[in-house]
Amino acid sequence: MAVAGAGAAYRFHPHGAGFGRSMAFPPPPGSGCPYSSGASLSSAAFGAATGPGVLQQELDVLDYLSDDGGVPGTAGAPLPVEAAVVPDVGYCDHTSRAAAVAASGKIAFRTRSEEEILEDGYKWRKYGKKSVKNSPNPRNYYRCSTEGCSVKKRVERDKDDANYVVTMYEGVHNHASPGTIYYAAQDPASGRFFVTGTHQLAP
DNA sequence: CGTCTTTGACCGGCGC
DNA sequence: GCGCCGGTCAAAGACG
């Protein structure tokens, strides 16, 4: 696990701004985007910025899947998927790229966590569990329990490292949410983006 | 009693 | 056409 906090830092939201349809959390007025590409924040600054209520789990933003054929970490797979999309679905104003994300409506990331269910501000109902061919671990299927909202997510343990949980969101929430801001940073060595924490906003 | 999880069955897509 | 596989359904049970 590379050290998070070095290099550019980004904020992104996998449901609202992350899928580009609605900005659940408008940027701070008049200040531009404090977390846009090029900003340099230390991990300490991150900690200060996140404040109380932040989950300090170290999350590894592994991949964004444009379709189900994508396999996180697959050798030869186009890295730009992983490296480019995450900042572009960001909290900041990258509307065109965010729209592209919204068009496919999918985002996946890998999380180092003992818990399989990550608190993301939404209420989910489990509707299926399936063992998949390429993984010894079962895959769990969840649907947003809000009436009329068809957002789904799939959760499974990383087949290569059971310490990691792979979560994939699909769809766009059509309702207001308390939401979660994900704080991410790029590891300059690998180019990967790492979520350094999440911030649960008050409803 | 309402909500959620569990779990086997079912279905559709896809490759051979 | 057939079998495999991933995704979803739905009945039953658990739980608060």
Side-chain angles (χ1 to χ4, degrees):
Chain A
M1 195 65 185
V3 175
Y10 303 89
R11 297 171 84 177
F12 70 97
H13 191 286
H15 315 295
F19 287 109
R21 184 169 297 176
S22 64
M23 294 290 282
F25 313 106
S31 63
C33 179
Y35 300 106
S36 62
S37 178
S40 179
L41 296 176
S42 67
S43 55
F46 256 98
T50 53
V54 173
L55 300 176
Q56 289 298 335
Q57 288 174 309
E58 189 175 359
L59 309 178
D60 178 4
V61 179
L62 178 69
D63 204 353
Y64 163 76
L65 303 177
S66 59
D67 57 57
D68 286 342
V71 178
T74 300
L79 180 61
V81 167
E82 170 184 346
V85 173
V86 172
D88 288 338
V89 300
Y91 173 81
C92 304
D93 185 23
H94 299 279
T95 53
S96 60
R97 296 291 190 92
V101 174
S104 59
K106 293 182 182 182
I107 186 170
F109 53 89
R110 199 173 68 153
T111 307
R112 191 177 68 182
S113 172
E114 293 182 3
E115 299 292 329
E116 293 196 9
I117 308 303
L118 305 175
E119 180 52 58
D120 56 10
Y122 288 90
K123 194 175 183 180
W124 300 94
R125 172 182 298 202
K126 189 174 185 175
Y127 67 90
K129 179 183 179 181
K130 194 79 175 179
S131 57
V132 292
K133 188 181 179 184
N134 291 326
S135 173
N137 307 310
R139 175 179 295 171
N140 296 293
Y141 300 87
Y142 298 86
R143 179 177 296 151
C144 183
S145 61
T146 300
E147 188 175 359
C149 183
S150 60
V151 175
K152 288 174 277 191
K153 74 173 179 179
R154 288 176 278 180
V155 180
E156 63 181 298
R157 288 268 163 206
D158 192 318
K159 68 180 189 302
D160 297 321
D161 188 343
N163 291 320
Y164 288 84
V165 174
V166 178
T167 305
M168 177 172 177
Y169 292 92
E170 182 175 348
V172 183
H173 290 282
N174 61 4
H175 55 93
S177 76
T180 300
I181 292 176
Y182 289 74
Y183 296 90
Q186 185 179 23
D187 173 31
S190 66
R192 285 188 169 187
F193 287 85
F194 298 93
V195 177
T196 56
T198 59
H199 186 189
Q200 186 67 43
L201 296 183

